[in-house]
Amino acid sequence: MSSVIQVVPLTSNVGARIEGVDLHADVDADDIEQIRRALWHYSVLVFAGQRLDAGEHSRLTSFFGSLAPLEIFTFLGNSNPGLAIDPRKGGTVSSDGKSGRPVGFEKPPAVKASADALHPVSEFAGWHTDSSFTRRLPQAAALRAEVIPPVGGDTTFSSLCAAYEALSPTMQGWLQGIQALHVVPPGYKNAIKIWQYGEDAEARFDAEYQPREHPVVIEHPETGRKALFVNPGYTHRIVGMTDRESASMLRFLYDHITQPEFVYRHHWSEPGDVVVWDELVCLHRAPNDFRPHERRLVRLTAGQVAPNPPTRQSTMIG
Ligand SMILES: [Fe+2]
């Protein structure tokens, strides 16, 4: 029998809390569909107060697609859909997504560690879409809190749909049809510990992940809503503009998409809380404001989706 799920909006533009569903038990198909639709509509869902374990986290994430790692990890031969985010472990460590325990093949780097490796961060501290230089992104990502610091450690999300919809029709029209180049930023390969994947891993990675063009305006495959698709973490330039024009346009867009009106800031209350977000149409960041305290989150990813340009009229889920 279906539960009575309540979808409680957290702001006007992004984020909702899901209540009235017991995630320790089986959830029926109608309820799963309601939760999926809520994610496509609100972009960020908060499941709080149920103290979910690693297996329940995994099952919840699978509501939104088959568990799968980021494209780069699949390419490198790592099929684990989970990542433990813990600055004490040098940033991120693969997790098997079931037990929550780190997995992988730890060994010391064969090359001298760079400054980035010596000063690891927890999550990327700047606004970004995970690895937007790849062909496909996860349909959804889900963070579960394991250790919450006594101060700071929030995770923030910004709605790229709401940001697009707040632009003037003139600007919306102008941005449609242009492309931006997304690149692997400095420090990225150290952050993922690419040396773990074999001696030829860096060369293979460099050959595969050349700068990639994506549309600046994309369409959500489930809702048809349009969204901006640029982020300060990986977008390098606007194609077809001079350096000055591109830098000015990106500065404007970054300022626009990170306005507080489009942002939900999640404060982690207790271990086992889970926050799911729609990777395609959300930026996220984790302010680095909790040191020297411990903070540990586990991220699972599910499904794959490409950032495609608009092909249809926008339709909103009611
Ligand atoms: Fe991230």
Side-chain angles (χ1 to χ4, degrees), residues 164 167-176:
Y164 173 83
L167 292 170
S168 67
T170 302
M171 182 61 96
Q172 290 177 345
W174 188 81
L175 289 172
Q176 285 196 46

Side-chain angles (χ1 to χ4, degrees), residues 159-195:
S159 166
L160 296 166
C161 290
Y164 173 83
E165 289 159 6
L167 292 170
S168 67
T170 302
M171 182 61 96
Q172 290 177 345
W174 188 81
L175 289 172
Q176 285 196 46
I178 65 171
Q179 307 274 316
L181 209 57
H182 295 244
V183 302
V184 179
Y188 184 89
K189 289 181 283 188
N190 276 325
I192 62 167
K193 300 181 177 176
I194 199 163
W195 43 265

Side-chain angles (χ1 to χ4, degrees), residues 70 85 123-124 126 128-131 234 277 279 284-285 299:
L70 297 188
I85 298 165
E123 292 166 70
F124 282 3
H128 66 285
T129 300
D130 286 322
S131 306
Y234 300 105
W277 75 98
E279 277 269 17
H284 61 282
R285 74 180 297 180
R299 186 194 71 196

